[in-house]
Amino acid sequence: MNALVRLFSRPWIWSWGAAFVIWFATIMVTGGASTLGLTQAALTFAAFSIIVGLGQMFVITLGPGNIDLSVPATMTLAGTVALKFMNVENGMILPGLAVAVLIGVAVGIGNYALIKALRIPPIIATLSMSFIVQSAAIWTNRGLRIKPPSFLADFTTSATLGVPNLALVALALSLLSWLVLEKTVYGRWISAIGQSMPAARMAGIPVDGVRFITYVFCAVLAALAGYLLACFSGGAALNMGSEYLLMSIAVVVIGGTAVAGGDSNVPGIWGASLFMFLVVSMLNTYGLGAGIRLIMTGLIIISVILLAGGRKPGAR
Amino acid sequence: AAMPVSALADTSGKKIALSNNYAGNSWRQAMLESWEKVTGEAVKAGVVAAADAFTTAENQATEQAAQIQNMILQGYDAIVINAASPTALNGAIKEACDAGITVVSFDGIATEPCAWRIAVDFKEMGRSQIEFLSGKLADGGNLLEIRGLAGVFVDDEISGGIHAGVEQFPQFKVAGSVHGDWAQDVAQKAVAGILPSLPEIVGVVTQGGDGYGAAQAIAAVGRPMPVIVMGNREDELKWWKEQKDANGYETMSVSIAPGVSTLAFWVAQQILDGKDVKKDLVVPFLRIDQDNLEANLETTPAGGVANVEYSQDDALQVIEAAN
Amino acid sequence: MIRRSPADFIRLLIPALSLAVLLAAVFWLQPRAMSYVGINLLFNLAVPIALATVAQMFIMAVNDLDLSMGTFVSFVACVTATFLRDAPLVGVVILAGSVLVYAALGVVIHLRNLPSIVVTLGMSFVWAGLAVLLLPAPGGQAPDWVRALMTMKPPLVPIAIVAAVVIAVVAHVIVMRLSLGVLIRGVGGNERSVERAGWSIVAARAAAYGLAGLFAVLAGIALVGLTTSADANIALRYTLLSIAGVILGGGEFIGGRISPVGAVIGALTLTLAGSFLSFLRISPDWQIGAQGAILILVLALRLVFNRVEKRGHGR
Amino acid sequence: MMVHSRKAVIEVADARVSFGAVKALDGATLAIMPGECVGLVGHNGAGKSTIVSVINGGLTPHEGTLSGDGEPLARYGVNAARAMGVRCVFQELSLCPNLTVAENTRLMHRRIGGFGWRSRACAVIEESLDAVFPGHRIAGDRTVGELSIAERQMVEIAMAFSDAGVAPRLVILDEPTSSLDASLAEQMLAHVRRFVAAGGAVILISHILGEILSTADRIVVMKDGRIVADRPADAFSENSLVETMGSVVRQEGARGRSQDFSGAPPVLEWTGGGLPFRARRGEVVGLAGLAGHGQTAMLMRLHAANSSDWLPRRDPAVTFVAGDRRLNGVFELWSILRNFSIASLGDLSRLGLVRSDREGVRGADWRKRIEIRTPDMENRILSLSGGNQQKVLFARALATRAPVVLMDDPMRGVDVGTKQEVYEIVRQEAAGGRTFVWYSTEMEEVCLCDRVYVFREGAIVAELAGDAVSEDNILAASFERGAA
Ligand SMILES: Nc1ncnc2c1ncn2[C@@H]1O[C@H](COP(=O)(O)OP(=O)(O)OP(=O)(O)O)[C@@H](O)[C@H]1O
Ligand SMILES: Nc1ncnc2c1ncn2[C@@H]1O[C@H](COP(=O)(O)OP(=O)(O)OP(=O)(O)O)[C@@H](O)[C@H]1O
Ligand SMILES: [Mg+2]
Ligand SMILES: [Mg+2]
């Protein structure tokens, strides 16, 4: 009984529960025949939201007002430039990855420069930055679709032991993030800054350094997601990131990370990402129109937060 | 020193602007490039004084309306518009007309009566897909429909045409419908999500730009490949070609050529020139079939879209045809 | 009359100056804009944005954020272009109902202690869905009175300026002069002490959200008056625009520090920034980026002024 | 005194309040008569703030009754209390910083509504400020956020004594002087006496026992949620009061040591306006002067100059003990242990990974060393009383290897017993070679320092060392050329 209570006090349980219910409702339509296909598809596509969500979570953990709206533009720029750079050659895969990461680093530096040097609130700073990055993406390849190297295309679209490779990548990144947040000094620092920046400063935490690294990390993860997404969908498109603006925020908050900062939650991102994909699949499967589908999505999000909300942040 | 290209009034002092609401995909980029190429030559030749292209930061009717109002202030003689909404720009377009400016809309057309429209028959674009499928698959069967962006005019029109087609050929049934937002990756994701719960699909009807994504999603789960109606992106055509070479895969491609912006340019120039032009013009959509696939693929730039650019003569023909 | 403290004055001075500088630049680039018609063309689309910004400001006053502003204004636009014209009574009932929904959101967010960002994120899907149901394809038509109102030609001063001033004055009176406004800002500043003075925080939040809903409804109506018709995506941009407008106008995300006049000026500045870029004739590739650059520039200006102010005050 | 013939303004009988397992009030009975000032004292967490909440209507006791003017009060709440003329200055500042003084007044007094409320509110608060703090120079249209902490506290106190329709009858002051310097505190206490003489009632809560003894007519001592003594003020001396509260008085002769530091190496230096600042190894340097004259700013500057915002430092040069716990002290989501260890993670980690075993050992060590009263270091920090939270902040700072400890009036609201413990720790650490820079608003603490810098208007105006460190000298320096 007590264990059950403890379980339900976990912030991530609600997103997992919601994802499971919807998964079940969807496979029931075909009497279970679609179980494997749906699960694989959900894992594959959730992987992208997970990767960008992780980065966004680090930023949101930094406290109220911290958010990165440049995620979609970064994905686009990294995807387009990396694919152009690799030019369909398998030998260029790693240099291409390095280029994507470098783009992430550059965007992260730009973001934090605006926030710190010009004192622009993060929400506006990253929005402005995203316009510039988007322009850079347009300028570099003008929307041409270049195919990914064949090895990468195969890797991103296939599975290992039935688990999509992308989900494995997301899992590795999640474990890394979890380790960083829970076990490292840096993780403590982020959480402290998120609870109170003045207190963190007075406790001797290098606040600017930590925030800077966090914004860079978020941009790098976005760039990585862009790189993978471009390879997965057979080429980069100028609008390929747009979906991930609201998505990256939604999966973080539905996953149980405190919007007020200081408290992050890695497992919740998985639940929320699967949930966001499955909701659309379910409503498509039931043949509901776009209007109804949107309304249901919204109501489900609100119900999840209503069920999970009102909880006191757990002692740690 | 310019050649006399027109027998009527001179437009060499006129300025034309392109109002564009979105630049985020290869179709729009091709559209802008065609515009730049064709109008650049026209300006050099002294046909018009200027032909500037403007794109809004975000794909929103409100921003485009502001952009049009700015163009009025900038003193353009004609504005060529690819409209974000057929009706939401009417206020701004009316202001332009009142200021004596010629307004020509294309692709995304505007319903304001004072503007000219170069329309594609989107309904027919949808219907013809089913007609084509009925020729290929006499027994009919289940179809998957990939729609565009919800709430947008073009999406509604093409989808209406598709459903009209299904009524006409009742052996077909739309078993599932998803919104792919005219984007490869979104379509891929949506299809992958609904596919596991669908019965066998014999055909996929699309709105262009999303065929390759659908093919990828279907290939990923190892289902038999249905007939996917393609758009005009190079990757779609290339995939089709590969399949054709490998197993004789047959399909078709319908789309609207991004170069239609140049047609709109010439039409605007003709109107400024004093030519009497009907308010509603129609351009045929671009259709690629099994036999002219290779030819089209050859002229399509790598990573770009199949395109047709128009000349002044083409414009004159279209204008004549309407009269 | 009571004089405002210097901080409040500076808070307003910066946005006002940015607007003035931008306006001067626009007039210099395009002297044609310096006319009755020109000014109206520059600013009329700022009117709905100003209303939405004021709406967002009410939410930000109680330390919340509304991510559904854009979809809600789109929804209202759809209602205006359909019901409000064809069946005015039904239209009014729907709009009044949606204002109540906003107030109810405030209540739920407060009672269940929910993050407003998530709830409004969810609501943005709901409003978008309702809008798509109402108008699956763009269409509808503005009620004649709305159209007449928005295209009015008052003597001397164009309607856009008249409307902006009216909005600013009304918002100022509500927020700065009425006790209700003080209460709402008080909730943003120190919720606990307001509660201990015997006020109902739930009611204050409901009022703030309700007022936001009301102004957002006006934004939707005004927008349709300008565009003559609606679609489900017509105002999606207003979410970020309204937040940026409040910030440009000197408002802050937390602490109940807001300025209604500043918010209206912020909305005008954002609109004008777009025109300015258009007049600059930047290469199409970089037009989007330039919008980002100008946002940065205007906000950087704020920093410069803040520095100057600090130096003036520093002891 | 004839007050006893009248009926009590408010009477709390046998009130019980518990928060979970904590019995915050355990059968407390208290009656406040008109025309008396009741001094309420007790250790941190004794239940003083809780009984205040009950009287103020903010908290309904789980058991027990309330009556006012002899009548039982059935449906009592914040609004009923205000209507009866009960006013409260809360322990933590409770004004809205984004509003002006007048607007705050409007919120506090529900009756100042209607057209033209602004000027009325302004008049009400300015009149009251003039009465309590003559010569205050706070205008009604100033935004509270721009005021110094002391000025904010003044506004709050004036607000409680202001009259806008309902005259104040019972004013509760919960640690009102914690941010006021001596002269302002005296002005306030004088007003309390005037108010009481005119028939008003006051409850005065303070950890500064001198204030209580000089101002209160009657003193009520609380301990663990119960009232353990209730006698006229003359019946107490400072020592007997402390004894009743349950703290052991440790008699200390002034500074205990009078060492010459001129030979010790300087570890911290700063030159700005005024005299230069210098602190040497092993020294306890005091920052004194009237509240809000730049002492905190100085500490912040010293901290900023000696720590990096960009790169982590393995060997921090300075560490900081906050006075304003809520703002820049505790991390509210965290356990006591995490709050304790955050500043010394560099020593507790390897390759960036926190070694939780070492963290736990170190935490247990310090818990014993400075007696943090908690069953488990894994409990949330907010489960501690204010004084114990403060001890955790001390432990956090002292557990680092930083040679300099900056302290920003850290004893605010800490009870006498805890204070003595902390003084002892400071003395030991200083003997071990640590340097302390200590800002305090309490003269007694300043007098514990080896050397004192006196601040006026943002600059150091005097340096006192050794036997020159005395209340008279500090006051003289603080007021030089000033009002005094
Ligand atoms: N909201 C609350 N939740 C849980 N416990 C509480 C709460 N408020 C008070 N307590 C507990 O009740 C007890 C009495 O607290 P109270 O604030 O009345 O003490 P106090 O005498 O005012 O102490 P101090 O001198 O530190 O101000 C303390 O043990 C405290 O931990
Ligand atoms: N949210 C809470 N949860 C648990 N306990 C609380 C909470 N808020 C307050 N308390 C308890 O109430 C007591 C009184 O709180 P308060 O803020 O008055 O601190 P304090 O002990 O009086 O310290 P200070 O005098 O420095 O303010 C504290 O000891 C604290 O343990
Ligand atoms: Mg207390
Ligand atoms: Mg205390």
Side-chain angles (χ1 to χ4, degrees):
Chain A
M1 195 58 220
N2 221 344
L4 209 63
V5 171
R6 282 254 310 272
L7 190 66
F8 276 94
S9 68
R10 296 269 176 242
W12 49 262
I13 193 76
W14 300 101
S15 59
W16 278 92
F20 181 79
V21 167
I22 286 175
W23 174 80
F24 193 74
T26 313
I27 58 171
M28 273 305 106
V29 175
T30 53
S34 58
T35 309
L36 183 68
L38 185 72
T39 312
Q40 281 196 337
L43 283 173
T44 308
F45 289 96
F48 300 112
S49 329
I50 290 167
I51 296 173
V52 289
L54 285 173
Q56 192 70 269
M57 178 182 73
F58 274 74
V59 170
I60 288 178
T61 305
L62 285 177
N66 283 291
I67 203 154
D68 187 352
L69 298 186
S70 67
V71 162
T74 311
M75 288 176 73
T76 306
L77 183 65
T80 49
V81 174
L83 257 57
K84 190 172 180 182
F85 185 76
M86 291 189 287
N87 201 16
V88 207
E89 286 170 37
N90 276 329
M92 295 296 283
I93 288 178
L94 285 182
L97 182 64
V99 166
V101 169
L102 277 180
I103 286 171
V105 172
V107 175
I109 292 176
N111 278 336
Y112 196 65
L114 294 183
I115 294 169
K116 179 67 191 171
L118 298 185
R119 307 281 153 77
I120 301 179
I123 194 167
I124 310 280
T126 53
L127 177 71
S128 313
M129 192 67 195
S130 83
F131 286 157
I132 294 172
V133 173
Q134 183 70 27
S135 259
I138 293 176
W139 173 72
T140 47
N141 86 333
R142 311 219 53 166
L144 295 183
R145 262 180 103 85
I146 297 162
K147 287 234 177 318
S150 59
F151 175 79
L152 257 185
D154 288 346
F155 173 79
T156 48
T157 49
S158 53
T160 306
L161 301 174
V163 183
N165 287 337
L166 283 174
L168 294 176
V169 172
L171 182 66
L173 287 170
S174 304
L175 286 176
L176 181 74
S177 302
W178 179 83
L179 190 80
V180 165
L181 279 171
E182 297 292 324
K183 299 288 171 199
T184 65
V185 177
Y186 168 74
R188 290 274 180 97
W189 283 345
I190 297 185
S191 173
I193 293 172
Q195 292 172 64
S196 165
M197 193 135 83
R201 192 163 270 139
M202 296 336 276
I205 296 172
V207 172
D208 286 319
V210 173
R211 296 180 72 204
F212 170 68
I213 294 287
T214 308
Y215 274 94
V216 170
F217 182 66
C218 176
V220 166
L221 279 185
L224 193 62
Y227 175 84
L228 291 172
L229 180 58
C231 295
F232 174 77
S233 52
L238 286 177
N239 55 346
M240 68 181 206
S242 56
E243 229 200 323
Y244 291 89
L245 176 60
L246 281 186
M247 182 71 83
S248 68
I249 302 169
V251 297
V252 173
V253 286
I254 296 173
T257 293
V259 186
D263 193 13
S264 45
N265 197 312
V266 176
I269 288 194
W270 277 76
S273 298
L274 292 168
F275 164 77
M276 289 299 281
F277 176 82
L278 288 167
V279 161
V280 178
S281 299
M282 175 184 82
L283 297 171
N284 274 337
T285 303
Y286 280 98
L288 298 174
I292 302 283
R293 209 186 69 200
L294 285 165
I295 294 173
M296 296 281 287
T297 310
L299 291 181
I300 293 173
I301 290 176
I302 294 177
S303 328
V304 168
I305 196 72
L306 262 176
L307 281 173
R311 65 197 142 76
K312 295 254 181 293
R316 293 150 46 97
Chain B
M3 301 183 300
V5 275
S6 163
L8 292 165
D10 187 18
T11 57
S12 61
K14 305 283 188 186
K15 297 197 301 175
I16 299 180
L18 170 66
S19 162
N20 175 38
N21 61 311
Y22 183 58
N25 61 25
S26 49
W27 194 94
R28 290 293 172 119
Q29 286 296 333
M31 180 192 95
L32 288 171
E33 254 169 54
S34 296
W35 172 274
E36 210 171 295
K37 190 170 132 210
V38 171
T39 65
E41 282 165 12
V43 171
K44 225 184 262 161
V47 183
V48 291
D52 304 320
F54 294 90
T55 300
T56 56
E58 266 172 74
N59 181 10
Q60 292 280 295
T62 46
E63 271 210 47
Q64 197 173 12
Q67 187 189 53
I68 293 168
Q69 296 190 352
N70 289 331
M71 288 171 176
I72 301 173
L73 286 176
Q74 281 165 283
Y76 285 101
D77 301 289
I79 302 176
V80 175
I81 300 177
N82 189 346
S85 154
T87 51
L89 297 176
N90 286 355
I93 292 175
K94 185 82 178 44
E95 304 255 16
C97 293
D98 291 348
I101 297 169
T102 301
V103 179
V104 179
S105 63
F106 69 96
D107 185 34
I109 52 160
T111 57
E112 169 58 45
C114 74
W116 277 261
R117 276 164 293 282
I118 301 176
V120 174
D121 190 346
F122 288 115
K123 276 223 159 69
E124 174 58 20
M125 215 172 128
R127 201 202 58 84
S128 68
Q129 298 187 27
I130 311 287
E131 188 171 8
F132 166 83
L133 290 177
S134 74
K136 280 265 156 320
L137 312 157
D139 300 341
N142 289 312
L143 300 181
L144 171 61
E145 182 194 7
I146 304 179
R147 301 186 56 163
L149 201 58
V152 175
F153 162 77
V154 177
D155 166 57
D156 215 53
E157 287 283 295
I158 300 182
S159 178
I162 287 173
H163 285 266
V166 171
E167 247 162 56
Q168 192 187 346
F169 302 96
Q171 65 268 40
F172 289 107
K173 179 171 166 277
V174 176
S177 167
V178 297
H179 281 269
D181 299 359
W182 297 307
Q184 200 77 261
D185 48 330
V186 182
Q188 187 180 3
K189 184 167 168 178
V191 172
I194 194 175
L195 209 51
S197 46
L198 286 182
E200 195 195 336
I201 296 292
V202 296
V204 180
V205 283
T206 67
Q207 298 194 354
D210 34 24
Y212 181 64
Q216 290 241 67
I218 294 169
V221 293
R223 284 204 178 201
M225 193 56 68
V227 179
I228 304 173
V229 179
M230 290 294 167
N232 59 351
R233 310 271 154 98
E234 194 235 12
D235 49 15
E236 291 173 298
L237 300 179
K238 218 160 137 190
W239 180 84
W240 176 8
K241 173 85 174 79
E242 280 163 16
Q243 298 293 310
K244 181 181 171 188
D245 294 346
N247 53 31
Y249 188 76
E250 286 185 31
T251 182
M252 61 143 15
S253 143
V254 282
S255 61
I256 166 167
V260 69
S261 62
T262 59
L263 179 66
F265 167 75
W266 288 118
V267 169
Q269 186 264 339
Q270 286 299 314
I271 297 168
L272 288 179
D273 210 11
K275 195 153 181 94
D276 187 23
V277 180
K278 274 254 170 70
K279 285 277 156 108
D280 284 289
L281 306 175
V282 178
V283 285
F285 48 82
L286 185 62
R287 177 167 171 158
I288 301 171
D289 282 300
Q290 202 72 6
D291 40 356
N292 61 5
L293 169 62
E294 283 80 5
N296 271 291
L297 196 51
E298 226 155 77
T299 58
T300 306
V305 296
N307 196 0
V308 178
E309 275 153 12
Y310 295 83
S311 67
Q312 197 176 30
D313 289 341
D314 295 328
L316 284 169
Q317 266 176 24
V318 171
I319 293 169
E320 288 308 320
N323 280 333
Chain C
M1 278 299 284
I2 288 179
R3 77 198 149 81
R4 307 294 302 178
S5 53
D8 281 7
F9 180 67
I10 293 280
R11 201 177 282 280
L12 257 182
L13 185 71
I14 298 161
L17 261 172
S18 341
L19 181 64
V21 169
L22 209 52
L23 197 59
V26 164
F27 284 161
W28 179 67
L29 281 174
Q30 196 51 261
R32 232 182 297 227
M34 221 182 321
S35 64
Y36 183 96
V37 177
I39 291 178
N40 200 38
L41 284 177
L42 279 180
F43 285 117
N44 64 3
L45 281 162
V47 173
I49 300 177
L51 285 164
T53 306
V54 169
Q56 183 72 261
M57 181 194 72
F58 277 108
I59 307 257
M60 284 168 73
V62 291
N63 296 347
D64 287 348
L65 205 58
D66 184 0
L67 292 187
S68 64
M69 187 58 70
T71 51
F72 180 67
V73 174
S74 304
F75 164 74
V76 171
C78 290
V79 174
T80 307
T82 52
F83 284 110
L84 203 58
R85 180 191 171 85
D86 305 332
L89 204 64
V90 183
V92 168
V93 168
I94 295 179
L95 293 180
S98 56
V99 171
L100 288 183
V101 170
Y102 251 80
L105 281 181
V107 172
V108 172
I109 285 173
H110 183 79
L111 289 184
R112 299 280 295 154
N113 194 14
L114 302 176
S116 60
I117 292 188
V118 195
V119 176
T120 54
L121 184 74
M123 282 313 290
S124 75
F125 286 97
V126 174
W127 298 124
L130 289 172
V132 169
L133 283 185
L134 267 181
L135 277 182
Q141 204 179 351
D144 295 329
W145 60 271
V146 176
R147 183 80 186 128
L149 191 69
M150 294 310 292
T151 50
M152 220 163 32
K153 292 210 165 30
L156 295 175
V157 187
I159 181 72
I161 302 299
V162 175
V165 170
V166 169
I167 296 166
V169 168
V170 169
H172 182 82
V173 166
I174 295 177
V175 172
M176 295 307 202
R177 296 267 131 196
L178 294 190
S179 296
L180 177 64
V182 176
L183 177 61
I184 289 174
R185 283 184 295 137
V187 170
N190 189 343
E191 188 172 314
R192 205 161 147 218
S193 81
V194 174
E195 194 168 20
R196 284 204 291 217
W199 299 92
S200 158
I201 305 290
V202 176
R205 237 204 192 84
Y209 273 77
L211 279 168
L214 182 66
F215 274 87
V217 163
L218 294 179
I221 295 176
L223 180 57
V224 174
L226 288 171
T227 60
T228 73
S229 82
D231 65 70
N233 302 317
I234 194 163
L236 295 189
R237 214 170 120 63
Y238 281 20
T239 302
L240 288 173
L241 270 183
S242 61
I243 298 173
V246 176
I247 299 295
L248 275 184
E252 279 165 33
F253 283 101
I254 44 171
R257 290 199 174 83
I258 50 166
S259 157
V261 177
V264 172
I265 293 179
L268 297 182
T269 309
L270 281 174
T271 316
L272 201 57
S275 306
F276 173 69
L277 287 177
S278 203
F279 297 152
L280 273 187
R281 303 246 190 101
I282 298 167
S283 126
D285 285 354
W286 289 102
Q287 281 172 8
I288 298 171
Q291 304 231 4
I294 202 153
L295 257 180
I296 294 171
L297 216 70
V298 175
L299 282 161
L301 201 66
R302 201 167 80 141
L303 173 77
V304 174
F305 277 101
N306 277 339
R307 283 265 162 85
V308 172
E309 184 212 6
K310 278 237 179 70
R311 208 166 298 151
H313 274 256
R315 284 197 285 170
Chain D
M1 281 190 277
M2 49 166 284
V3 289
H4 292 288
S5 60
R6 291 192 244 160
K7 286 176 182 155
V9 185
I10 293 276
E11 184 168 358
V12 183
D14 201 27
R16 284 165 208 276
V17 172
S18 17
F19 297 104
V22 179
K23 284 183 183 160
L25 282 186
D26 193 9
T29 300
L30 184 63
I32 322 290
M33 297 293 160
E36 72 166 341
C37 172
V38 176
L40 188 56
V41 295
H43 61 83
N44 289 125
K48 305 180 295 292
S49 297
T50 309
I51 202 165
V52 163
S53 296
V54 169
I55 296 175
N56 181 50
L59 194 64
T60 311
H62 304 145
E63 274 177 49
T65 56
L66 269 159
S67 45
D69 298 325
E71 311 281 324
L73 298 168
R75 300 185 49 169
Y76 195 62
V78 175
N79 285 321
R82 296 193 68 81
M84 285 186 57
V86 175
R87 303 290 175 71
C88 192
V89 173
F90 292 94
Q91 191 168 2
E92 66 271 38
L93 290 174
S94 52
L95 295 171
C96 300
N98 57 329
L99 303 184
T100 63
V101 172
E103 285 169 340
N104 269 292
T105 314
R106 165 69 190 93
L107 284 185
M108 289 306 143
H109 294 292
R110 302 202 61 166
R111 286 183 170 227
I112 318 182
F115 195 76
W117 58 265
R118 212 163 262 276
S119 43
R120 258 176 287 145
C122 225
V124 164
I125 189 66
E126 284 183 0
E127 186 186 339
S128 181
L129 272 168
D130 289 340
V132 186
F133 300 103
H136 55 84
R137 291 195 298 184
I138 303 172
D141 59 359
R142 291 276 298 280
T143 304
V144 168
E146 294 167 21
L147 302 177
S148 71
I149 302 227
E151 285 174 321
R152 288 187 215 185
Q153 186 116 40
M154 289 158 69
V155 171
E156 271 197 75
I157 293 166
M159 192 98 78
F161 283 108
S162 65
D163 178 357
V166 181
R169 292 180 60 209
L170 168 59
V171 176
I172 306 167
L173 302 167
D174 195 347
E175 295 184 32
T177 55
S178 55
S179 307
L180 299 183
D181 59 52
S183 68
L184 288 173
E186 191 40 57
Q187 282 188 333
M188 188 211 76
L189 295 173
H191 186 80
V192 166
R193 284 181 218 113
R194 284 198 296 276
F195 180 71
V196 169
V202 169
I203 299 178
L204 178 63
I205 301 176
S206 178
H207 290 298
I208 302 169
L209 301 181
E211 284 174 10
I212 298 279
L213 288 165
S214 69
T215 310
D217 302 307
R218 183 157 64 98
I219 294 180
V220 175
V221 181
M222 290 192 71
K223 191 174 169 182
D224 299 330
R226 267 186 294 254
I227 288 173
V228 293
D230 183 349
R231 273 173 262 157
D234 341 346
F236 284 105
S237 71
E238 198 154 325
N239 279 353
S240 68
L241 200 50
V242 171
E243 255 164 46
T244 324
M245 282 164 61
S247 315
V248 188
V249 202
R250 272 174 245 181
Q251 206 56 50
E252 292 296 340
R255 276 186 306 290
R257 58 192 186 135
S258 174
Q259 221 172 307
D260 183 19
F261 287 96
S262 53
V267 286
L268 212 55
E269 281 175 308
W270 180 269
T271 36
L275 304 176
F277 171 90
R278 174 175 296 129
R280 297 174 189 281
R281 195 179 128 84
E283 205 176 17
V284 180
V285 180
L287 307 184
L290 302 181
H293 274 246
Q295 299 93 333
T296 301
M298 174 73 165
L299 289 175
M300 295 282 182
R301 269 201 303 268
L302 288 176
H303 185 266
N306 290 287
S307 58
S308 167
D309 268 349
W310 288 93
L311 291 174
R313 281 169 82 146
R314 261 215 113 71
D315 293 296
V318 294
T319 179
F320 191 90
V321 185
D324 191 342
R325 283 196 299 284
R326 277 276 145 82
L327 177 69
N328 49 17
V330 300
F331 299 105
E332 301 189 352
L333 297 178
W334 272 355
S335 66
I336 303 168
L337 185 62
R338 284 193 174 206
N339 263 288
F340 156 76
S341 65
I342 182 70
S344 42
L345 286 178
D347 301 338
L348 300 173
S349 62
R350 220 181 54 198
L351 300 173
L353 291 175
V354 178
R355 300 186 50 180
S356 48
D357 48 337
R358 283 223 281 186
E359 186 186 11
V361 170
R362 178 88 70 106
D365 250 18
W366 276 91
R367 175 180 154 204
K368 228 184 290 154
R369 194 161 156 207
I370 67 170
E371 294 177 50
I372 300 168
R373 295 191 189 92
T374 176
D376 189 351
M377 290 288 278
E378 293 293 341
N379 286 346
R380 292 185 66 188
I381 183 83
L382 289 185
S383 68
L384 293 179
S385 86
N388 277 298
Q389 289 179 22
Q390 197 65 47
K391 284 201 218 170
V392 174
L393 296 190
F394 264 108
R396 177 198 289 171
L398 296 178
T400 64
R401 284 182 290 125
V404 181
V405 182
L406 308 173
M407 306 200 286
D408 179 21
D409 201 6
M411 302 299 181
R412 239 178 256 174
V414 172
D415 65 35
V416 180
T418 309
K419 274 184 191 170
Q420 294 297 343
E421 288 167 34
V422 174
Y423 296 161
E424 183 56 38
I425 295 171
V426 169
R427 215 168 284 125
Q428 280 173 12
E429 291 280 334
R434 270 233 168 111
T435 307
F436 288 82
V437 182
W438 188 353
Y439 165 50
S440 174
T441 45
E442 283 173 43
M443 201 55 81
E444 173 200 4
E445 289 176 5
V446 176
C447 291
L448 290 174
C449 299
D450 299 308
R451 203 150 51 77
V452 171
Y453 288 107
V454 185
F455 280 69
R456 201 174 61 231
E457 286 174 2
I460 299 176
V461 293
E463 180 180 348
L464 307 171
D467 293 335
V469 179
S470 74
E471 189 162 352
D472 292 345
N473 286 344
I474 291 172
L475 282 178
S478 316
F479 284 101
E480 214 173 356
R481 275 186 290 147

